[in-house]
Amino acid sequence: MDQINLRFLFYGYSAAWLIVIAYVILLVRRGQKMDKELTRLKNLVDERKN
């Protein structure tokens, strides 16, 4: 492989990893929001039971 092909290979892998990392961060944030919402709903249900 010549040097330019290796550079494009590096750019491609870098872009792919950045996309994967961004997606994982997005999923973690969504999970945290869901946890907060579930906690809020559980507290609401507990308040209505009492």
Side-chain angles (χ1 to χ4, degrees):
M1 279 188 171
D2 57 349
Q3 193 67 19
I4 191 111
N5 286 342
L6 289 176
R7 185 179 303 154
F8 285 129
L9 181 67
F10 172 75
Y11 291 154
Y13 275 115
S14 297
W17 276 109
L18 286 175
I19 291 168
V20 168
I21 290 169
Y23 184 66
V24 168
I25 290 171
L26 178 71
L27 290 177
V28 167
R29 286 187 181 171
R30 283 186 185 177
Q32 290 172 343
K33 285 181 184 178
M34 281 186 183
D35 286 342
K36 287 179 185 176
E37 183 67 17
L38 281 173
T39 302
R40 188 183 72 79
L41 290 173
K42 285 178 184 177
N43 290 337
L44 185 64
V45 168
D46 288 343
E47 286 177 7
R48 294 217 175 172
K49 283 184 179 179
N50 295 332

